[in-house]
Structure formats: structure tokens, C-alpha cells
Amino acid sequence: MDKKNVVLLDGSAFSFKNGITQGLKNKGMNVKNLSLGGTAALQNLYEL
């Protein structure tokens, strides 16, 4: 099975240590978490 690449852009919900990010990693996915706590996803796109 090929590893999937996932990029997370969201607020603080994706920055928890054992949250969605860890669950995706446990499923064998390559995860790049670009979340910023306390901001909206649109702000993350601006930061990029």
C-alpha cells in the first residue's frame, strides 16, 4: 500500500498532540501539520 501524503491546514483542533494528526500517522500516512493554534484556515493560507 502506498503511503498517502496529507497536509493539515486548520486552527488549534489539529495541533493537539494525540489528536487527528497522530491518528493519521497511526494509519501509515505522511502528515505535514501546518496548523496554527487560534487561527482560521484562511489565515494559514495567508501565512504560506
Side-chain angles (χ1 to χ4, degrees):
M1 182 173 166
D2 293 327
K3 279 194 160 190
K4 304 287 184 200
N5 295 315
V6 178
V7 177
L8 299 175
L9 294 173
D10 197 19
S12 58
F14 286 163
S15 27
F16 295 124
K17 184 175 182 180
N18 292 322
I20 294 171
T21 304
Q22 189 61 44
L24 292 172
K25 286 180 180 180
N26 290 345
K27 295 280 186 181
M29 298 182 186
N30 292 323
V31 179
K32 195 59 108 166
N33 191 346
L34 302 178
S35 302
L36 294 174
T39 62
L42 189 57
Q43 177 67 28
N44 289 333
L45 288 175
Y46 171 77
E47 296 294 335
L48 287 174

